Amino acid sequence: MFKQWRRRRAVQRVKPGDGRPLKPYRWWQWLSRGLFYVSIPAADGAERTYAVNVNYWDYLLNEAAADLYVQGAHHARSKLPTAFPVPGGHIEVAMGAMGLKRCHYVSEDGTTSQLTPDPDSAEGHRAALDRRRPVLSRWIGIGSLAILVIALLLGVPQLIELVTRWDLIAEYTGTWTSPVQLPDGANGALTAAAVLASVERALRLRYNWLLDGGDFDSSL
């Protein structure tokens, strides 16, 4: 029931489009744009191509939003997270801390399938690697997950120690000393590795609230 309520709230964010054409993806947009496709049969049986376009800079500088195109024409726009109504279900889109965490077609029977990234996008190149070199792709994914787990295990105790040093907190909890003490250089390297690992997971639309940012409110 709660999930249905959140989906209805997401649908209410959808606004009509203006019919403008979808611009092709350019190589220099790797860091600024996500573009995904899915073909869905209409009531008359004809398949139509739906495209979801997301400007990542909008997420960083203004607010996260997505545009839906049908057969290359702008059909709708919505703040994120959202659920675009389409024949037979919805296209759900949500942002994580490092990129898209969800861009899926959810049919009325609950079947879920991830949209296909544009082949020229960063997500498309990552998907191509998965097709061409599945073993290497799997190990990269395992490595990203391992880095985030290690960063969590080593970083959280140090963060707790830092927080308990604040006078307002220490007054009630006392000061806690972390059993993990890393030099600043090691912490910096670990943070950089964790950011890269999160970006790699975002390229595959993999997301876990604990490991990839913890932004609860952007879920559908």
Side-chain angles (χ1 to χ4, degrees), residues 201-216:
R201 283 169 56 81
L203 293 178
R204 295 181 289 123
L205 275 65
R206 298 294 189 270
Y207 180 83
N208 176 276
W209 69 267
L210 184 60
L211 298 177
D212 298 294
D215 50 336
F216 303 97

Side-chain angles (χ1 to χ4, degrees), residues 51-156:
V52 173
N53 185 82
V54 180
N55 187 321
Y56 296 143
W57 291 125
D58 283 347
Y59 173 62
L60 294 174
L61 303 176
N62 188 15
E63 61 182 7
D67 294 283
L68 180 68
Y69 292 78
V70 182
Q71 295 295 98
H74 190 238
H75 180 73
R77 180 176 174 83
S78 176
K79 296 179 182 179
L80 298 182
T82 192
F84 290 112
V86 294
H90 294 81
I91 294 177
E92 297 183 350
V93 188
M95 285 290 294
M98 294 296 173
L100 279 178
K101 67 177 185 178
R102 188 165 182 79
C103 192
H104 289 67
Y105 171 64
V106 183
S107 64
E108 293 174 348
D109 64 6
T111 303
T112 301
S113 57
Q114 183 176 310
L115 273 66
T116 302
D118 189 282
D120 290 329
S121 68
E123 293 88 350
H125 282 279
R126 182 62 182 84
L129 174 64
D130 189 59
R131 292 191 300 271
R132 295 194 305 264
R133 304 287 297 275
V135 175
L136 174 61
S137 175
R138 189 177 306 115
W139 278 109
I140 291 174
I142 292 172
S144 296
L145 179 61
I147 288 171
L148 291 177
V149 171
I150 292 171
L152 181 69
L153 294 177
L154 297 182
V156 167

